[in-house]
Amino acid sequence: MRNRARSSSACTSPSHGKMRAMKIFGFSVSLILINMASIMERADENLLPAVYKEVSEAFNAGPTELGYLTFIRNFVQALSSPLAGVLALHYDRPAVLAMGTAFWALSTAAVGASQHFGQVAIWRAVNGFGLAIVIPALQSFIADSYMDGVRGTGFGLLSLVGSIGGIGGGVLATVMAGQEFWGVPGWRFAFAMMASLSLLIGFLVYMFVIDPRRTTLMTHGTEEDSERTSLVGKGSVPPPSIWGDSWLAMISVMKVQTFQIIVLQGIVGSLPWTSMVFFTLWFELIGFDHNSSAALNSLFAIGCAMGSLMGGFIADRVSKFYPDTGRIMCAQFSAFMGIPFSWIVLAVIPQSVNSWNAFAVALFLMGLSISWCATCANNPMFAEVVPLKHRTMIYAFDRAFEGSFSSFAAPAVGYLTEKIYGYDSKSLSLANGSVQGAYALSRGLLTMTVIPFGLCCLFYSPLYIMFKRDRDNARMASSKELELT
């Protein structure tokens, strides 16, 4: 009777009953809203780098100070990411996503209203806390929504639609930056508008998205939960502990060697991506106007979006023929391609406004080829080497380790640019660009891209041995859990 009552109440809860029937053109409303949340998350990430020039002028900040803004957000995000795994173990992920969205949206609005550089830094830290909760929950949600053979494509679609948000956020902020709206500087108005849209999406996610794990629990977990409840009442089984369960999940994830290797390469491999937040400033130092800079960033982002989907799709196909090594080979190819393309974009093409076409082609092809790793290997492989209930935790700890180290990349670019290559923000005029400033920044970027891409490619190699063993262990553990259920 208790099992029937619990099953009945779960199936007839308002949100669940509503969402089971809600589809748009055959697509799950839950997945649509999750992808919309990804769009807003990526738009928010690209908002500040797109207006670095205006922020630099408003607060008299150089590349090092601007780099610290990215560092603060990324570092707080990294430290806070395990919290997403803890929350997802005990609460529905839509509620977790809505909470994180509220943090990032309110902090985005506060950045736009800040009057001092210190205020911007504080609110960027709050922004990182919100993103720390959202990103692992999004990734595990997608992992649970697709089967192994098409999971790369699923992550590719998430990355593709997220990139649309990144493009939109970056272009919108860059174009609006040079204007005023009702007496408000355009870059500030862009932050307020993005915050409002993010709050709306967070509300929709909370109201209408159904966690796919809930269906699994209703299918397999009702009798087990009832039996456990009975045993707890008799004193045979201790009551569940939130922090105890979370600690066991953390230990389980940390012991997986595939996780350790992917995190190691990710720590190094994410450095170039963090450094690329300076692309907009670099284009404007070359002499490109806001529209031309936004167009170049958009072409690079479009290439990355298409590449992430293409990489996930290709890896899904290759892994059918080489299930133990196919995804690893695809990831190494993508990481290696970062070396020649970084050299071409930052050192070979003349840094002149006359080189717009050359930059456009090179940046698009660069984005198309270097953006595979997360969708073709990292995220799909994480889903295969831990049990279902630990997926959010493994994505959270990946963000924690990679983010904490990669957050140093932006200040490092600023330091190299100013101390090694001679960039002086106080003597340069940002209004019409600066040849010397553009050259210095490009050399700082080149240092922080070519070397990390090469190391990233090398660090994938141990997975040829470790991945198969960890995947088989996870499958065995999952089979035992299902048998017990």
Side-chain angles (χ1 to χ4, degrees), residues 109-360:
V111 167
S114 296
Q115 299 301 314
H116 305 286
F117 187 82
Q119 294 174 346
V120 177
I122 291 171
W123 288 114
R124 290 297 284 174
V126 177
N127 186 264
F129 179 79
L131 293 175
I133 297 174
V134 168
I135 294 175
L138 281 175
Q139 291 173 326
S140 64
F141 195 102
I142 293 299
D144 290 352
S145 301
Y146 292 89
M147 302 296 291
D148 289 348
V150 294
R151 193 169 282 128
T153 304
F155 277 108
L157 287 171
L158 181 73
S159 180
L160 175 65
V161 298
S163 297
I164 294 173
I167 294 168
V171 171
L172 183 68
T174 304
V175 172
M176 293 176 65
Q179 306 177 39
E180 284 194 0
F181 299 87
W182 299 284
V184 179
W187 72 270
R188 294 184 183 274
F189 190 83
F191 273 76
M193 185 171 63
M194 194 65 65
S196 301
L197 291 174
S198 297
L199 280 175
L200 174 62
I201 295 300
F203 173 76
L204 293 176
V205 167
Y206 178 74
M207 292 297 297
F208 299 113
V209 169
I210 290 298
D211 194 330
R213 190 173 55 195
R214 182 185 299 179
T215 304
T216 303
L217 290 175
M218 285 193 301
T219 303
H220 298 291
T222 305
E223 293 182 6
E224 180 187 25
D225 291 343
S226 179
E227 181 178 356
R228 180 179 179 86
T229 302
S230 176
L231 291 173
V232 167
K234 297 176 181 179
S236 302
V237 177
S241 166
I242 291 179
W243 296 109
D245 290 349
S246 301
W247 178 252
L248 291 175
M250 293 177 191
I251 296 299
S252 175
V253 166
M254 296 282 286
K255 288 181 177 179
V256 178
Q257 290 185 313
T258 295
F259 167 77
Q260 297 169 3
I261 295 301
I262 293 180
V263 166
L264 175 63
Q265 68 77 31
I267 288 172
V268 178
S270 57
L271 294 176
W273 294 98
T274 308
S275 304
M276 290 174 191
V277 298
F278 283 103
F279 268 5
T280 299
L281 177 60
W282 178 53
F283 296 145
E284 292 175 347
L285 286 171
I286 291 174
F288 294 115
D289 59 21
H290 287 295
N291 293 338
S292 297
S293 300
L296 288 174
N297 270 326
S298 298
L299 286 169
F300 178 65
I302 291 170
C304 289
M306 296 175 62
S308 61
L309 177 60
M310 182 174 70
F313 178 82
I314 290 174
D316 284 344
R317 297 301 177 271
V318 174
S319 65
K320 290 183 178 180
F321 298 98
Y322 305 98
D324 302 330
T325 60
R327 295 191 183 278
I328 306 167
M329 291 188 291
C330 291
Q332 286 188 307
F333 166 80
S334 182
F336 175 80
M337 293 304 294
I339 299 174
F341 274 112
S342 296
W343 178 68
I344 291 170
V345 169
L346 296 167
V348 175
I349 299 175
Q351 298 187 28
S352 164
V353 292
N354 298 323
S355 301
W356 191 92
N357 290 333
F359 278 122

Side-chain angles (χ1 to χ4, degrees), residues 350-404:
Q351 298 187 28
S352 164
V353 292
N354 298 323
S355 301
W356 191 92
N357 290 333
F359 278 122
V361 173
L363 285 167
F364 175 78
L365 294 176
M366 180 180 182
L368 197 66
S369 59
I370 70 171
S371 55
W372 296 16
C373 292
T375 58
C376 79
N378 299 3
N379 292 336
M381 290 168 71
F382 278 151
E384 295 186 52
V385 296
V386 293
L388 176 68
K389 63 182 180 180
H390 291 166
R391 282 178 178 169
T392 303
M393 189 66 75
I394 196 171
Y395 291 116
F397 267 85
D398 173 57
R399 291 294 85 215
F401 285 106
E402 289 190 21
S404 59

